[in-house]
């Protein structure tokens, strides 16, 4: 019992220290998940000291629920992928939830083939792929857990600027995904105004393929049409990536107020990665998420997680290489 709770306390202290230093790092999620994991072990030991049978049943329940949950999740991802295909089209980004669900059953089928053939090489491939899936799944759980926590953090008040990140237009029309960001930003802006403060809104986004105007222009027009005074909206109309959204907006903010504080508004599935990007861009701001349609969330979240993995490609590449080396070492 002391062992489990003691290690959980160690990870929790690391989480608190890292969180206070900077909320915008993925390691906070790793520390948080490790805290919960060892707290769970401590709970089992504590229950065992009171009722050994109950503790065994709890462990058995957890061991059964893990594969059941994975199976149900895989089926749900496939179902969500079909919905995405019907509603959003066949773009690669819309196939991610479907690919994740199918991938699980493909790996399960491959494992059965390996067990039947007894091939050492195929077994090494299975172990290597399984190790990579385990590692990536752990990071994904950390990402999801911290995204949940980050979305519920109270940020500092009195922002000088509220930056709205662009996400694409339909001609010059603001689609629902982007409209939810603008509505959230206007709500926050209005609350600040009601308190007697005067933050400025910055719409950020350049002109992409198929767009009749820069995203920033259409976004500003949307806000003004919904009651925001024109002099309260600034436009950053050159950016094509989230990093550029933030760095170019930072130039505007620094010119007007060198020691600025800002809030960055995007969709909830994008909030945590936007926070990581804000840290990388050295922007003094935290991120707020706006609502997203539930059917859109799984594929979008997987896409964001993949982007985070790519942002840390060197470290992840080394770890994945070590996993593969360990799996194939038996063949040497």
């Amino acid at each position: 019992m002391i062992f489990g709770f003691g290690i959980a306390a160690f990870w929790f202290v690391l989480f608190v220290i890292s969180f206070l230093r900077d909320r915008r790092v993925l390691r906070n999620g790793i520390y948080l998940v490790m805290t919960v994991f060892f707290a769970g072990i401590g709970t089992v030991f504590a229950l065992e000291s009171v009722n050994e049978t109950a503790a065994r049943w709890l462990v058995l329940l957890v061991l059964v629920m893990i594969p059941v949950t994975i199976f149900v999740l895989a089926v749900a991802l496939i179902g969500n992928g079909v919905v995405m295909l019907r509603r959003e089209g066949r773009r690669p980004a819309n196939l991610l939830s479907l690919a994740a669900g199918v991938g699980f059953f493909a790996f399960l089928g491959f494992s059965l083939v390996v067990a039947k053939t007894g091939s050492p090489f195929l077994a090494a491939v299975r172990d290597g792929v399984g190790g990579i899936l385990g590692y990536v799944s752990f990071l994904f759980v950390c990402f999801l857990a911290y995204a949940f926590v980050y979305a519920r953090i109270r940020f500092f008040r009195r922002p000088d600027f509220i930056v709205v990140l662009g996400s694409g237009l339909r001609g010059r029309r603001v689609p629902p995904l982007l409209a939810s960001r603008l509505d959230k930003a206007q709500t926050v802006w209005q609350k600040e105004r009601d308190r007697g403060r005067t933050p400025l809104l910055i719409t950020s986004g350049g002109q992409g393929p198929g767009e009749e105007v820069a995203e920033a222009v259409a976004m500003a027009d949307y806000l003004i049409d919904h009651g925001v005074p024109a002099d309260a909206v600034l436009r950053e109309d050159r950016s094509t990536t989230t990093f550029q959204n933030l760095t170019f907006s930072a130039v505007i903010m620094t010119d007007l107020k060198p020691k600025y504080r800002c809030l960055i508004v995007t969709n909830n599935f994008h909030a945590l990665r936007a926070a990581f990007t804000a840290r990388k861009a050295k922007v003094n701001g935290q991120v707020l998420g706006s609502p997203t349609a539930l059917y859109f969330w799984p594929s979008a979240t997987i896409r964001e997680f993949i982007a985070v993995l790519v942002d840390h490609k060197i470290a992840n590449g080394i770890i994945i290489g070590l996993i593969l080396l360990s799996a194939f070492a038996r063949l040497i």
Side-chain angles (χ1 to χ4, degrees), residues 98-115:
L98 179 62
V102 171
F104 165 77
F105 288 107
F107 179 72
L108 182 62
F110 178 70
S111 298
L112 294 175
V113 170
V114 172

Side-chain angles (χ1 to χ4, degrees), residues 260-332:
Y260 69 88
R261 297 186 300 183
C262 73
L263 289 177
I264 302 157
V265 180
T266 185
N267 289 95
N268 49 16
F269 64 82
H270 185 235
L272 188 56
R273 185 166 73 92
F276 297 160
T277 305
R279 179 177 183 270
K280 183 179 179 181
K282 298 181 180 178
V283 172
N284 184 24
Q286 300 291 343
V287 183
L288 294 176
S290 65
T292 306
L294 289 179
Y295 79 89
F296 193 84
W297 192 86
S299 283
T301 301
I302 293 172
R303 183 185 67 206
E304 295 299 306
F305 174 67
I306 291 172
V308 171
L309 290 180
V310 173
D311 288 342
H312 299 82
K313 55 182 173 293
I314 295 178
N316 289 320
I318 291 173
I319 293 173
I320 289 173
L322 291 174
I323 291 172
L324 291 174
L325 182 63
S326 175
F328 284 92
R330 73 185 67 176
L331 300 179
I332 299 175

